[in-house]
Amino acid sequence: SWRRRLRLFKAIELLGGGLGVTQTAMELGYGSTSAFVYAFRSDMGCSPQRYMRGRRTGAVAPAPDDDRHRPR
């Protein structure tokens, strides 16, 4: 849904600004860190930590619309 996608892009912004995973989850209204990580991984194909590590090192992370990285 578009709301979930909007939250995902906001999460990337917050994480990129240095906010931790738990703080990002709470800021975006997730009931728990694990619910946030599950949603992030479902859309992005990797955990928030791994995504941000890839961004810092210049590795290409999967795009949100890339179905090859979605669980089947």
Side-chain angles (χ1 to χ4, degrees):
S1 84
W2 67 269
R3 288 184 184 150
R4 183 168 165 159
R5 182 65 43 97
L6 183 61
R7 285 170 92 186
L8 175 65
F9 285 119
K10 183 65 178 172
I12 291 169
E13 180 181 305
L14 293 172
L15 292 165
L19 203 60
V21 174
T22 299
Q23 294 89 351
T24 298
M26 297 303 115
E27 179 72 24
L28 295 176
Y30 283 91
S32 68
T33 302
S34 60
F36 167 66
V37 171
Y38 178 84
F40 193 97
R41 183 176 283 140
S42 294
D43 283 350
M44 298 303 293
C46 62
S47 70
Q49 298 92 333
R50 187 175 198 174
Y51 181 85
M52 294 312 298
R53 196 169 37 247
R55 285 189 54 165
R56 281 192 293 274
T57 62
V60 177
D65 290 325
D66 191 343
D67 287 338
R68 292 175 298 159
H69 299 284
R70 290 185 190 233
R72 305 246 183 242

Coordinates of all heavy atoms in Angstrom, one line a residue:
S1 N 0.8 -1.2 0.0 CA 0.0 0.0 0.0 C 0.9 1.2 0.0 O 2.0 1.2 0.4 CB -0.9 0.0 1.2 OG -0.3 0.5 2.4
W2 N 0.3 2.4 -0.4 CA 1.1 3.6 -0.5 C 1.5 4.1 0.9 O 2.6 4.7 1.1 CB 0.3 4.7 -1.2 CG -0.9 5.2 -0.6 CD1 -2.2 4.7 -0.7 CD2 -1.0 6.3 0.4 NE1 -3.0 5.4 0.1 CE2 -2.3 6.4 0.7 CE3 0.0 7.1 0.9 CZ2 -2.8 7.4 1.6 CZ3 -0.5 8.1 1.8 CH2 -1.8 8.2 2.2
R3 N 0.7 3.8 1.9 CA 1.0 4.3 3.3 C 2.3 3.5 3.8 O 3.1 4.1 4.4 CB -0.1 4.1 4.2 CG -1.2 5.0 4.0 CD -2.3 4.9 5.0 NE -3.4 5.8 4.6 CZ -4.6 5.6 4.8 NH1 -5.0 4.5 5.4 NH2 -5.5 6.5 4.5
R4 N 2.3 2.2 3.5 CA 3.4 1.4 4.0 C 4.7 1.9 3.2 O 5.8 2.0 3.8 CB 3.2 -0.1 3.7 CG 4.3 -0.9 4.2 CD 3.9 -2.4 4.2 NE 5.0 -3.2 4.3 CZ 4.9 -4.5 4.7 NH1 3.8 -5.0 5.1 NH2 6.0 -5.2 4.8
R5 N 4.6 2.2 2.0 CA 5.7 2.6 1.2 C 6.2 4.0 1.7 O 7.4 4.2 1.8 CB 5.3 2.7 -0.3 CG 6.3 3.2 -1.3 CD 7.4 2.2 -1.5 NE 7.0 0.8 -1.5 CZ 6.8 0.1 -2.7 NH1 7.0 0.7 -3.8 NH2 6.5 -1.1 -2.6
L6 N 5.3 4.9 2.1 CA 5.7 6.2 2.6 C 6.4 6.0 3.9 O 7.5 6.7 4.1 CB 4.4 7.0 2.8 CG 4.6 8.4 3.3 CD1 5.5 9.2 2.3 CD2 3.3 9.1 3.6
R7 N 5.9 5.1 4.8 CA 6.6 4.8 6.0 C 8.0 4.3 5.8 O 9.0 4.6 6.5 CB 5.9 3.8 6.9 CG 4.6 4.4 7.5 CD 3.8 3.4 8.2 NE 4.1 3.2 9.6 CZ 3.6 2.2 10.3 NH1 2.7 1.4 9.8 NH2 3.9 2.1 11.6
L8 N 8.2 3.4 4.7 CA 9.5 2.9 4.4 C 10.4 3.9 4.0 O 11.6 4.0 4.4 CB 9.3 1.8 3.3 CG 10.6 1.2 2.7 CD1 11.3 0.4 3.8 CD2 10.3 0.4 1.5
F9 N 10.0 4.9 3.1 CA 10.9 5.9 2.7 C 11.3 6.9 3.9 O 12.4 7.3 4.0 CB 10.3 6.7 1.5 CG 10.4 5.9 0.2 CD1 9.2 5.6 -0.4 CD2 11.6 5.5 -0.3 CE1 9.3 4.9 -1.6 CE2 11.7 4.8 -1.5 CZ 10.5 4.5 -2.1
K10 N 10.3 7.1 4.8 CA 10.6 7.9 5.9 C 11.6 7.2 6.8 O 12.5 7.8 7.4 CB 9.3 8.2 6.7 CG 9.5 9.1 7.9 CD 10.0 10.5 7.5 CE 10.1 11.3 8.8 NZ 10.7 12.6 8.4
A11 N 11.5 5.8 6.9 CA 12.4 5.0 7.7 C 13.8 5.2 7.2 O 14.8 5.3 7.9 CB 12.0 3.6 7.7
I12 N 14.0 5.1 5.8 CA 15.3 5.2 5.2 C 15.9 6.6 5.5 O 17.1 6.7 5.8 CB 15.2 5.0 3.7 CG1 14.9 3.5 3.5 CG2 16.5 5.4 3.0 CD1 14.5 3.2 2.0
E13 N 15.0 7.6 5.5 CA 15.5 9.0 5.8 C 16.0 9.1 7.3 O 17.0 9.6 7.6 CB 14.3 9.9 5.6 CG 14.7 11.4 5.9 CD 13.4 12.3 5.7 OE1 12.9 12.2 4.6 OE2 13.1 13.0 6.6
L14 N 15.2 8.5 8.2 CA 15.5 8.6 9.6 C 16.8 7.8 9.9 O 17.7 8.2 10.6 CB 14.4 8.1 10.5 CG 13.1 8.9 10.5 CD1 12.0 8.2 11.2 CD2 13.4 10.3 11.1
L15 N 16.9 6.6 9.4 CA 18.0 5.7 9.6 C 19.3 6.4 9.0 O 20.4 6.4 9.6 CB 17.8 4.3 8.9 CG 16.8 3.5 9.6 CD1 16.4 2.3 8.7 CD2 17.3 3.0 11.0
G16 N 19.1 7.0 7.8 CA 20.3 7.7 7.2 C 20.7 8.9 8.0 O 21.9 9.3 7.9
G17 N 19.8 9.5 8.7 CA 20.2 10.6 9.6 C 20.8 10.2 10.9 O 21.1 11.0 11.7
G18 N 21.0 8.9 11.1 CA 21.6 8.4 12.3 C 20.7 7.9 13.4 O 21.2 7.4 14.5
L19 N 19.4 7.9 13.2 CA 18.5 7.4 14.2 C 18.6 5.8 14.2 O 18.8 5.2 13.2 CB 17.1 7.8 13.9 CG 16.1 7.8 15.0 CD1 16.5 8.8 16.1 CD2 14.7 8.2 14.5
G20 N 18.6 5.2 15.4 CA 18.7 3.8 15.5 C 17.4 3.1 15.0 O 16.4 3.7 14.8
V21 N 17.5 1.8 14.9 CA 16.4 1.0 14.4 C 15.2 1.1 15.4 O 14.0 1.3 14.9 CB 16.8 -0.5 14.1 CG1 15.6 -1.3 13.8 CG2 17.8 -0.5 13.1
T22 N 15.4 0.9 16.6 CA 14.3 1.0 17.6 C 13.7 2.3 17.6 O 12.4 2.4 17.6 CB 14.8 0.6 19.0 OG1 15.3 -0.7 19.0 CG2 13.7 0.7 20.1
Q23 N 14.5 3.4 17.6 CA 13.9 4.7 17.7 C 13.1 5.0 16.4 O 12.1 5.6 16.4 CB 15.0 5.8 17.8 CG 15.7 5.7 19.1 CD 16.9 4.8 19.1 OE1 17.1 4.0 18.2 NE2 17.7 4.8 20.2
T24 N 13.6 4.5 15.3 CA 12.9 4.7 14.0 C 11.6 4.0 14.0 O 10.6 4.5 13.6 CB 13.8 4.2 12.8 OG1 15.0 5.0 12.7 CG2 13.0 4.3 11.5
A25 N 11.6 2.8 14.5 CA 10.3 2.0 14.6 C 9.3 2.7 15.5 O 8.1 2.8 15.1 CB 10.6 0.6 15.2
M26 N 9.7 3.2 16.6 CA 8.8 4.0 17.5 C 8.3 5.3 16.9 O 7.1 5.6 16.9 CB 9.4 4.2 18.8 CG 9.8 3.0 19.6 SD 8.4 1.9 19.9 CE 8.9 0.4 19.0
E27 N 9.2 6.0 16.2 CA 8.9 7.2 15.6 C 7.8 7.0 14.5 O 7.0 7.9 14.3 CB 10.2 7.9 14.9 CG 10.0 9.2 14.2 CD 9.7 10.3 15.2 OE1 10.1 10.3 16.3 OE2 9.1 11.3 14.7
L28 N 7.9 5.9 13.8 CA 7.0 5.7 12.7 C 5.7 4.9 13.2 O 4.8 4.6 12.3 CB 7.7 4.8 11.6 CG 8.8 5.6 10.9 CD1 9.5 4.7 9.9 CD2 8.3 6.9 10.2
G29 N 5.6 4.7 14.5 CA 4.4 4.1 15.0 C 4.3 2.6 15.0 O 3.2 2.0 15.2
Y30 N 5.4 1.9 14.8 CA 5.3 0.4 14.8 C 5.2 0.0 16.3 O 5.7 0.6 17.2 CB 6.6 -0.2 14.2 CG 6.6 -0.1 12.7 CD1 7.1 0.9 12.0 CD2 6.0 -1.2 12.0 CE1 7.1 1.0 10.6 CE2 6.0 -1.1 10.6 CZ 6.5 -0.1 9.9 OH 6.5 0.0 8.6
G31 N 4.5 -1.1 16.5 CA 4.3 -1.6 17.9 C 5.5 -2.2 18.5 O 5.6 -2.3 19.7
S32 N 6.4 -2.6 17.7 CA 7.7 -3.2 18.2 C 8.8 -3.1 17.1 O 8.5 -2.9 15.9 CB 7.5 -4.7 18.5 OG 7.2 -5.4 17.3
T33 N 10.0 -3.2 17.6 CA 11.1 -3.2 16.6 C 11.0 -4.3 15.7 O 11.3 -4.2 14.5 CB 12.4 -3.2 17.4 OG1 12.5 -2.1 18.3 CG2 13.6 -3.2 16.5
S34 N 10.6 -5.5 16.2 CA 10.5 -6.7 15.3 C 9.5 -6.5 14.2 O 9.7 -6.9 13.0 CB 10.3 -8.0 16.1 OG 9.1 -7.9 16.8
A35 N 8.4 -5.8 14.5 CA 7.4 -5.6 13.5 C 7.9 -4.6 12.4 O 7.7 -4.8 11.2 CB 6.1 -4.9 14.1
F36 N 8.7 -3.6 12.8 CA 9.3 -2.7 11.8 C 10.3 -3.5 11.0 O 10.4 -3.3 9.7 CB 10.0 -1.6 12.6 CG 10.9 -0.8 11.7 CD1 10.4 0.0 10.6 CD2 12.3 -0.8 11.9 CE1 11.3 0.7 9.8 CE2 13.2 0.0 11.1 CZ 12.7 0.7 10.1
V37 N 11.2 -4.3 11.6 CA 12.2 -5.0 10.8 C 11.6 -6.0 9.9 O 12.0 -6.1 8.7 CB 13.2 -5.8 11.8 CG1 14.1 -6.7 11.0 CG2 14.0 -4.8 12.6
Y38 N 10.5 -6.6 10.3 CA 9.8 -7.5 9.4 C 9.2 -6.8 8.2 O 9.4 -7.2 7.0 CB 8.6 -8.2 10.1 CG 7.8 -9.1 9.2 CD1 8.3 -10.4 9.0 CD2 6.7 -8.7 8.6 CE1 7.5 -11.3 8.2 CE2 5.9 -9.5 7.8 CZ 6.4 -10.8 7.6 OH 5.7 -11.7 6.7
A39 N 8.6 -5.6 8.4 CA 8.0 -4.8 7.3 C 9.1 -4.3 6.4 O 9.0 -4.4 5.2 CB 7.2 -3.7 7.9
F40 N 10.2 -3.9 7.0 CA 11.3 -3.4 6.2 C 11.9 -4.5 5.3 O 12.1 -4.3 4.1 CB 12.4 -2.8 7.1 CG 13.4 -2.0 6.4 CD1 13.3 -0.6 6.3 CD2 14.5 -2.6 5.8 CE1 14.3 0.2 5.7 CE2 15.5 -1.8 5.1 CZ 15.4 -0.5 5.1
R41 N 12.1 -5.6 5.9 CA 12.7 -6.8 5.2 C 11.8 -7.3 4.1 O 12.2 -7.6 3.0 CB 13.1 -7.9 6.2 CG 13.7 -9.1 5.5 CD 14.2 -10.1 6.5 NE 15.4 -9.7 7.2 CZ 15.6 -9.9 8.4 NH1 14.7 -10.5 9.2 NH2 16.7 -9.4 9.0
S42 N 10.5 -7.2 4.4 CA 9.5 -7.7 3.4 C 9.6 -6.8 2.1 O 9.4 -7.3 1.0 CB 8.1 -7.7 4.0 OG 8.0 -8.6 5.0
D43 N 9.7 -5.5 2.3 CA 9.7 -4.6 1.2 C 11.1 -4.4 0.6 O 11.2 -4.3 -0.7 CB 9.2 -3.2 1.6 CG 7.7 -3.2 1.7 OD1 7.0 -4.1 1.3 OD2 7.2 -2.2 2.3
M44 N 12.1 -4.4 1.4 CA 13.5 -4.1 0.9 C 14.3 -5.3 0.6 O 15.3 -5.2 -0.1 CB 14.2 -3.2 1.9 CG 13.5 -1.9 2.1 SD 13.3 -0.9 0.5 CE 15.0 -0.6 0.1
G45 N 14.0 -6.5 1.1 CA 14.7 -7.7 0.9 C 15.9 -7.9 1.8 O 16.7 -8.8 1.6
C46 N 16.1 -7.0 2.8 CA 17.2 -7.1 3.8 C 16.8 -6.3 5.0 O 15.8 -5.5 5.0 CB 18.5 -6.5 3.2 SG 18.4 -4.8 2.8
S47 N 17.5 -6.5 6.1 CA 17.2 -5.8 7.3 C 17.6 -4.3 7.2 O 18.4 -3.9 6.4 CB 18.0 -6.4 8.5 OG 19.4 -6.1 8.3
P48 N 17.0 -3.5 8.1 CA 17.4 -2.1 8.1 C 18.9 -1.9 8.3 O 19.5 -1.0 7.6 CB 16.6 -1.4 9.2 CG 15.5 -2.4 9.5 CD 16.0 -3.7 9.1
Q49 N 19.5 -2.7 9.2 CA 20.9 -2.5 9.4 C 21.7 -2.9 8.2 O 22.7 -2.1 7.8 CB 21.4 -3.5 10.6 CG 20.7 -3.2 11.9 CD 19.4 -4.0 12.1 OE1 18.8 -4.4 11.2 NE2 19.1 -4.2 13.4
R50 N 21.4 -3.9 7.5 CA 22.1 -4.3 6.3 C 21.9 -3.3 5.2 O 22.9 -3.0 4.5 CB 21.6 -5.7 5.8 CG 22.4 -6.3 4.7 CD 22.0 -7.7 4.4 NE 23.1 -8.3 3.7 CZ 23.1 -9.5 3.3 NH1 22.1 -10.3 3.7 NH2 24.0 -10.1 2.6
Y51 N 20.7 -2.8 5.1 CA 20.5 -1.8 4.0 C 21.3 -0.5 4.3 O 22.0 0.0 3.4 CB 19.0 -1.4 4.1 CG 18.6 -0.3 3.0 CD1 18.3 -0.7 1.7 CD2 18.7 1.0 3.3 CE1 18.0 0.2 0.8 CE2 18.4 2.0 2.3 CZ 18.1 1.6 1.1 OH 17.8 2.5 0.1
M52 N 21.4 -0.1 5.5 CA 22.2 1.1 5.8 C 23.7 0.9 5.7 O 24.4 1.7 5.2 CB 21.8 1.7 7.2 CG 20.4 2.2 7.3 SD 19.9 3.3 6.0 CE 21.0 4.7 6.2
R53 N 24.1 -0.3 6.0 CA 25.5 -0.7 5.9 C 25.9 -0.7 4.4 O 26.9 -0.2 4.0 CB 25.8 -2.1 6.5 CG 27.2 -2.4 6.7 CD 27.4 -3.7 7.6 NE 26.5 -4.8 7.3 CZ 25.6 -5.2 8.2 NH1 25.5 -4.6 9.4 NH2 24.8 -6.2 7.9
G54 N 25.0 -1.2 3.6 CA 25.2 -1.1 2.1 C 25.3 0.3 1.6 O 26.1 0.6 0.7
R55 N 24.4 1.1 2.1 CA 24.4 2.5 1.6 C 25.7 3.2 2.0 O 26.3 4.0 1.2 CB 23.3 3.3 2.2 CG 22.0 2.9 1.5 CD 20.8 3.8 1.9 NE 21.2 5.2 1.7 CZ 20.3 6.1 1.7 NH1 19.0 5.9 1.8 NH2 20.6 7.4 1.5
R56 N 26.2 2.9 3.2 CA 27.5 3.6 3.7 C 28.7 3.1 2.8 O 29.6 3.8 2.6 CB 27.7 3.3 5.1 CG 26.9 4.2 6.0 CD 27.4 4.1 7.5 NE 27.1 2.8 8.1 CZ 26.0 2.4 8.6 NH1 25.0 3.2 8.7 NH2 25.9 1.2 9.1
T57 N 28.7 1.8 2.4 CA 29.8 1.3 1.7 C 29.7 1.4 0.2 O 30.6 1.1 -0.5 CB 30.0 -0.2 2.0 OG1 28.8 -0.9 1.6 CG2 30.2 -0.5 3.5
G58 N 28.5 1.9 -0.2 CA 28.3 2.1 -1.7 C 27.8 0.9 -2.4 O 27.6 0.9 -3.6
A59 N 27.5 -0.1 -1.6 CA 26.9 -1.3 -2.2 C 25.4 -1.0 -2.6 O 24.7 -0.3 -2.0 CB 26.9 -2.5 -1.3
V60 N 25.0 -1.6 -3.7 CA 23.6 -1.3 -4.1 C 22.7 -2.2 -3.4 O 22.8 -3.5 -3.3 CB 23.5 -1.6 -5.6 CG1 22.1 -1.4 -6.1 CG2 24.4 -0.7 -6.4
A61 N 21.7 -1.6 -2.7 CA 20.7 -2.4 -2.0 C 19.5 -2.6 -2.9 O 19.3 -1.8 -3.8 CB 20.2 -1.6 -0.7
P62 N 18.7 -3.6 -2.7 CA 17.5 -3.8 -3.6 C 16.5 -2.7 -3.5 O 16.3 -2.1 -2.4 CB 16.9 -5.1 -3.0 CG 17.6 -5.4 -1.7 CD 18.8 -4.6 -1.6
A63 N 16.0 -2.4 -4.6 CA 14.9 -1.3 -4.6 C 13.6 -1.8 -4.1 O 13.3 -3.0 -4.2 CB 14.8 -0.8 -6.1
P64 N 12.8 -1.0 -3.5 CA 11.5 -1.4 -3.0 C 10.6 -2.1 -4.0 O 9.8 -3.0 -3.6 CB 10.8 -0.1 -2.5 CG 11.9 0.8 -2.3 CD 13.0 0.4 -3.3
D65 N 10.7 -1.8 -5.2 CA 9.8 -2.4 -6.2 C 10.4 -3.7 -6.9 O 9.9 -4.3 -7.8 CB 9.5 -1.4 -7.3 CG 8.6 -0.3 -6.8 OD1 7.7 -0.6 -6.0 OD2 8.7 0.8 -7.3
D66 N 11.6 -4.1 -6.5 CA 12.3 -5.2 -7.1 C 11.8 -6.5 -6.5 O 12.2 -6.9 -5.5 CB 13.8 -5.0 -6.8 CG 14.6 -6.0 -7.7 OD1 14.1 -7.0 -8.2 OD2 15.8 -5.8 -7.8
D67 N 10.9 -7.2 -7.3 CA 10.3 -8.4 -6.8 C 11.2 -9.6 -6.6 O 10.9 -10.5 -6.0 CB 9.2 -8.8 -7.8 CG 8.0 -7.9 -7.7 OD1 7.8 -7.3 -6.6 OD2 7.2 -7.9 -8.6
R68 N 12.4 -9.5 -7.2 CA 13.4 -10.6 -7.0 C 13.8 -10.8 -5.6 O 14.3 -11.8 -5.2 CB 14.6 -10.3 -7.9 CG 14.4 -10.4 -9.4 CD 15.6 -10.0 -10.1 NE 15.9 -8.6 -9.8 CZ 17.1 -8.1 -9.9 NH1 18.1 -8.8 -10.4 NH2 17.4 -6.8 -9.6
H69 N 13.6 -9.7 -4.8 CA 14.1 -9.8 -3.4 C 13.0 -10.0 -2.4 O 13.2 -9.9 -1.2 CB 14.9 -8.5 -3.1 CG 16.1 -8.4 -3.9 ND1 17.2 -9.1 -3.7 CD2 16.3 -7.6 -5.0 CE1 18.1 -8.8 -4.7 NE2 17.6 -7.8 -5.4
R70 N 11.8 -10.2 -2.9 CA 10.7 -10.4 -2.0 C 10.5 -11.9 -1.6 O 10.7 -12.8 -2.5 CB 9.4 -10.0 -2.6 CG 9.3 -8.5 -2.7 CD 8.0 -8.0 -3.3 NE 8.2 -6.6 -3.6 CZ 7.4 -5.7 -3.1 NH1 6.3 -6.0 -2.4 NH2 7.6 -4.5 -3.4
P71 N 10.2 -12.2 -0.4 CA 9.9 -13.6 0.0 C 8.8 -14.2 -0.8 O 7.8 -13.5 -1.1 CB 9.6 -13.5 1.4 CG 9.7 -12.1 1.9 CD 9.9 -11.3 0.7
R72 N 8.9 -15.4 -1.2 CA 7.8 -16.0 -2.0 C 6.9 -16.8 -1.1 O 7.1 -17.4 -0.2 CB 8.4 -17.0 -3.1 CG 9.4 -16.2 -3.9 CD 8.9 -16.1 -5.3 NE 10.0 -15.4 -6.1 CZ 9.7 -14.3 -6.7 NH1 8.6 -13.7 -6.7 NH2 10.7 -13.8 -7.4

